[in-house]
């Protein structure tokens, strides 16, 4: 039976249609004359699928396990038998669905595998079940159907769940193609669409989900025929995601970040760039198949066909140097604030641009001002960490060049004693600064347990803590930042003095000796 409540379940009203094909008194108990089977497994005249249209008030459709479809347009007060005449008898109606774009539109999926018939049975009606069309072209003759769902964002886009996987139709069921992707060949018992995600229930192989259906909403003949195309990304929540490694005992997390889909017809000898911008046009991050390291472009991997790139929503990370080992310290830039952004795909100097939205985590209690304060704080911390690490790189560059100039003179200590002594004095000063900024004894990831952390580790650790959750910086965090920044600035001032005075004096002496000078890059 079908029951309805109008008061939150305090009382119910029966609104069932008549499901008996013939005389209801002829319906006996299940089983044979000797052994009665009263487990209900083989009872019929049972409403197996029912739905109320989310698009039309009082429009209800039911499907039974003995092959009857009934339609009501007055909330169940009156019913019409709308069973397709061409549908075989005793077809179990497994699901009903409503057309989001057509008033009176219905889709049903049926099965007859219990009778040894494995054919798919999908039907659609555009007139409240008065007339029906079978829509199974393209589905294998032995892939019997359990469910059909209509995408509410694109007219005619349908998904069908069968005994052997999923099919998709872009023409309202006139033709179907397999939509298997990485889904195992497994019975699909149900499908649902939520927030532009397609969720599939399987028989024994877990739930599966396609995180983003929007490329299917935008796909058309023009896109399919183009050499490249950038799809407008789905609005993305500002949350973390992903996992360390694939698990054999649990599902995959959402990758987190902004999922950008783009199509490339060919990638042979083609330079592809993907760049993210603030709405005011300021560049945030740039990725390229041929990255320019001087411009801090990052590597982009591509393949012919559809590509997906997940931007982690983070601004550029702090400067690093080779062999750097820190303890519980993050060089990551802050996550982008909720709001509007742009992404540009450039293929062989031909650009295509679109906008997208980053949404605030609905679970977060932080105000917009809190998030902005956190973002600005982390940007300041990252800038100071970068400045610190750049100083260490300059020290090491200067040391390398000084050694290059003085190493050949070791056998001529008497002749070049003044120059060698000056080099040692300068290097001692730089070493003291370097050791204040970074723990130079660190050679492995466990060494920070044995040696005290230095200034760049301290401010990097502050960045780690500041990036946890959605909270503005505490008074203690601000005070610590100011304290560490002052200590770093003191060392940077000492280094600046060494570079301007001591290195310059060393270079002048080298020139007098007609030797190579130290040339520091910016």
């Amino acid at each position: 039976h079908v029951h309805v409540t109008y008061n939150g379940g305090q009382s119910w009203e029966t609104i069932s249609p008549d499901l008996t094909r013939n005389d209801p008194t002829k319906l006996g108990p299940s089983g044979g004359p000797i052994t009665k089977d009263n487990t209900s497994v083989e009872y019929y005249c049972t409403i197996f699928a029912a739905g109320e249209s989310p698009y039309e008030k009082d429009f209800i459709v039911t499907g039974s396990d003995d092959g009857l479809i009934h339609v009501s347009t007055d909330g169940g007060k009156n019913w019409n038998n709308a069973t397709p005449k061409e549908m075989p008898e005793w077809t179990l109606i497994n699901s009903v669905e409503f057309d989001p774009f057509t008033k009176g539109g219905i889709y049903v999926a049926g099965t007859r595998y219990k009778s040894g018939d494995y054919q798919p049975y999908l039907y659609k009606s555009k007139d409240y079940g008065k007339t029906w069309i079978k829509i199974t072209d393209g589905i294998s003759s032995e892939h019997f159907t359990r469910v059909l769902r209509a995408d509410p964002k694109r007219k005619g886009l349908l998904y069908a769940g069968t005994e052997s996987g999923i099919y998709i139709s872009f023409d309202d069921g006139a033709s179907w193609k397999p939509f298997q992707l990485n889904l195992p060949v497994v019975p699909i018992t149900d499908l649902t669409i939520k927030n532009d995600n397609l969720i599939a229930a399987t028989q024994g192989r877990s739930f599966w989900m396609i995180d983003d259906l929007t490329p299917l909403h935008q796909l058309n003949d023009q896109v399919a025929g183009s050499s490249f195309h950038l799809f407008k990304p789905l609005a993305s929540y500002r949350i973390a995601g992903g996992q360390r490694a694939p698990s054999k005992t649990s599902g995959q997390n959402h990758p987190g970040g902004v999922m950008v889909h783009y199509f490339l017809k060919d990638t042979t000898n083609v330079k592809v760039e993907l760049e993210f911008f603030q709405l005011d046009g300021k560049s945030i991050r740039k990725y390229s198949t041929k990255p320019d390291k001087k411009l801090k472009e990052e590597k982009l991997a591509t393949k012919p066909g559809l590509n997906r790139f997940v931007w982690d929503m983070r601004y550029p990370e702090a400067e690093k140097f080779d062999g750097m080992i820190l303890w519980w310290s993050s060089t990551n830039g802050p996550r982008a604030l909720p709001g509007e952004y742009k992404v540009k795909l450039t293929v062989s100097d031909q650009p295509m641009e679109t906008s997208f939205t980053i949404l605030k985590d609905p679970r977060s209690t932080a105000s917009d001002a809190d998030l902005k304060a956190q973002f600005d704080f982390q940007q300041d911390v990252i800038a100071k960490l970068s400045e610190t690490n750049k100083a260490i790189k300059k020290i090491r560059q200067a040391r390398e060049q000084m050694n290059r100039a003085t190493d050949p003179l070791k056998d001529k200590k008497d002749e070049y004693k003044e120059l060698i002594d000056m080099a040692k004095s300068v290097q001692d000063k730089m070493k003291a600064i370097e050791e204040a900024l970074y723990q130079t004894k660190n050679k492995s990831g466990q060494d920070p347990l044995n040696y005290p952390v230095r200034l760049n580790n301290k401010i990097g650790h502050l960045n780690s803590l500041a990036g946890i959750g959605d909270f503005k910086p505490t008074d203690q965090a601000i005070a610590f930042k100011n304290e560490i920044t002052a200590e770093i600035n003191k060392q940077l001032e000492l280094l600046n003095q060494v570079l301007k005075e001591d290195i310059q004096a060393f270079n002048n002496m080298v020139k007098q000796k007609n030797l190579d000078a130290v040339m520091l890059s910016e």
Side-chain angles (χ1 to χ4, degrees):
H1 297 286
V2 176
H3 304 274
V4 64
T5 179
Y6 301 99
N7 53 17
Q10 296 179 26
S11 60
W12 291 83
E13 178 183 339
T14 301
I15 57 170
S16 294
D18 180 9
L19 299 180
T20 55
R21 285 181 173 271
N22 300 299
D23 185 350
T25 62
K26 294 182 180 180
L27 286 174
S30 175
I34 299 176
T35 302
K36 303 298 182 183
D37 179 4
N38 291 319
T39 62
S40 301
V41 176
E42 296 175 356
Y43 284 1
Y44 292 95
C45 299
T46 301
I47 295 175
F48 205 81
E52 180 183 12
S53 172
Y55 314 109
E56 295 182 58
K57 187 177 183 296
D58 294 332
F59 181 23
I60 303 173
V61 177
T62 68
S64 69
D65 60 356
D66 59 347
L68 297 179
I69 298 173
H70 285 79
V71 172
S72 174
T73 56
D74 57 8
K77 295 176 182 177
N78 297 283
W79 293 88
N80 293 316
N81 187 333
T83 307
K85 295 179 180 179
E86 63 272 24
M87 187 171 70
E89 282 193 329
W90 311 109
T91 298
L92 185 153
I93 307 303
N94 207 79
S95 74
V96 298
E97 178 77 346
F98 296 89
D99 189 333
F101 301 93
T102 305
K103 189 175 181 180
I106 313 167
Y107 302 96
V108 298
T111 67
R112 298 187 76 251
Y113 68 92
K114 294 180 181 179
S115 300
D117 180 356
Y118 297 99
Q119 293 186 64
Y121 290 103
L122 301 177
Y123 295 88
K124 70 177 179 181
S125 172
K126 302 297 183 181
D127 53 11
Y128 298 95
K130 295 176 184 177
T131 60
W132 294 87
I133 300 175
K134 188 179 181 181
I135 50 171
T136 58
D137 286 351
I139 299 178
S140 174
S141 60
E142 291 193 349
H143 290 184
F144 64 82
T145 46
R146 296 177 183 272
V147 60
L148 184 152
R149 298 299 178 203
D151 196 304
K153 295 291 183 68
R154 176 170 177 168
K155 187 175 182 179
L157 179 56
L158 307 178
Y159 311 97
T162 77
E163 179 68 5
S164 300
I166 293 181
Y167 285 80
I168 189 170
S169 174
F170 290 92
D171 52 16
D172 204 31
S175 62
W176 295 87
K177 293 182 179 180
F179 194 45
Q180 203 64 17
L181 302 176
N182 63 325
L183 183 71
V185 177
V186 64
I188 306 300
T189 56
D190 204 355
L191 294 169
T192 191
I193 299 169
K194 183 175 178 62
N195 297 336
D196 291 321
N197 302 151
L198 178 64
I199 306 166
T202 73
Q203 205 163 57
R205 291 294 293 274
S206 305
F207 289 100
W208 291 74
M209 181 168 72
I210 293 179
D211 291 314
D212 185 359
L213 293 173
T214 57
L216 298 178
H217 301 160
Q218 303 169 56
L219 188 61
N220 54 40
D221 292 339
Q222 181 180 353
V223 172
S226 62
S227 59
F228 70 93
H229 184 80
L230 174 65
F231 295 92
K232 182 179 176 64
L234 176 71
S236 306
Y237 285 102
R238 188 177 181 267
I239 58 175
Q243 57 195 37
R244 292 184 178 181
S247 172
K248 295 182 179 180
T249 58
S250 62
Q252 291 176 283
N253 292 333
H254 187 282
V258 179
M259 293 184 290
V260 180
H261 293 87
Y262 59 97
F263 169 77
L264 299 173
K265 186 175 183 179
D266 187 19
T267 57
T268 306
N269 297 322
V270 175
K271 182 180 181 180
V272 182
E273 297 175 330
L274 202 61
E275 190 167 9
F276 295 86
F277 299 88
Q278 294 180 168
L279 205 58
D280 60 8
K282 181 181 178 181
S283 178
I284 302 174
R285 299 275 288 276
K286 187 175 183 180
Y287 304 84
S288 174
T289 54
K290 300 177 181 179
D292 186 332
K293 293 184 179 180
K294 291 183 179 179
L295 299 177
K296 295 186 177 180
E297 296 177 354
E298 300 172 65
K299 184 67 177 178
L300 178 67
T302 61
K303 66 180 186 300
L306 186 66
N307 291 259
R308 186 181 80 167
F309 179 85
V310 181
W311 177 44
D312 59 8
M313 297 184 287
R314 291 194 177 276
Y315 274 64
E317 67 174 350
E319 185 87 13
K320 295 189 290 188
F321 55 85
D322 292 341
M324 184 176 72
I325 297 173
L326 303 178
W327 185 266
W328 193 2
S329 180
S330 172
T331 59
N332 287 335
R335 286 180 296 162
L337 295 170
E340 298 296 315
Y341 295 86
K342 295 186 293 185
V343 59
K344 180 172 71 174
L345 174 69
T346 304
V347 180
S348 298
D349 297 325
Q350 298 181 46
M352 184 175 184
E353 188 176 286
T354 187
S355 61
F356 63 91
T357 304
I358 293 179
L359 303 170
K360 181 181 177 182
D361 185 342
R363 303 165 300 178
S364 174
T365 58
S367 66
D368 291 344
D370 289 342
L371 295 178
K372 182 66 165 57
Q374 181 189 40
F375 178 88
D376 292 342
F377 182 80
Q378 283 192 268
Q379 283 287 65
D380 288 345
V381 170
I382 285 295
K384 185 54 63 176
L385 179 56
S386 287
E387 189 179 1
T388 304
N389 291 340
K390 284 180 180 179
I392 295 169
K393 292 172 75 171
K394 279 190 175 183
I395 290 172
R396 295 183 173 184
Q397 183 185 11
R399 178 184 298 124
E400 180 185 355
Q401 295 192 29
M402 291 181 76
N403 289 338
R404 190 184 306 140
T406 58
D407 282 350
L409 308 178
K410 290 180 179 179
D411 295 334
K412 304 176 182 179
K413 291 182 180 181
D414 293 339
E415 183 179 353
Y416 294 101
K417 183 178 186 304
E418 184 180 4
L419 180 62
I420 294 173
D421 289 345
M422 178 180 288
K424 184 178 185 306
S425 174
V426 174
Q427 293 213 32
D428 286 345
K429 290 181 180 180
M430 292 193 300
K431 181 181 179 183
I433 296 170
E434 181 184 13
E435 290 180 349
L437 297 177
Y438 174 66
Q439 181 49 267
T440 58
K441 294 180 180 179
N442 286 343
K443 303 301 179 184
S444 77
Q446 295 300 309
D447 281 344
L449 293 172
N450 303 316
Y451 308 116
V453 297
R454 301 304 188 194
L455 294 175
N456 71 336
N457 202 143
K458 291 180 180 180
I459 198 164
H461 179 61
L462 176 61
N463 185 49
S464 293
L465 298 179
I468 297 175
D470 294 340
F471 304 102
K472 67 179 182 180
T474 63
D475 293 342
Q476 294 90 336
I478 294 172
F480 183 78
K481 169 181 170 287
N482 293 337
E483 177 185 336
I484 295 301
T485 298
E487 292 185 34
I488 291 174
N489 288 342
K490 181 180 177 180
Q491 297 300 321
L492 296 180
E493 289 172 5
L494 291 174
L495 177 61
N496 193 45
Q497 183 178 355
V498 170
L499 297 178
K500 283 187 176 181
E501 299 178 5
D502 297 87
I503 291 291
Q504 186 59 47
F506 176 80
N507 280 341
N508 291 337
M509 184 174 292
V510 168
K511 289 178 182 178
Q512 292 174 9
K513 304 291 184 180
N514 293 320
L515 300 172
D516 292 334
V518 176
M519 301 296 293
L520 297 176
S521 61
E522 293 298 324

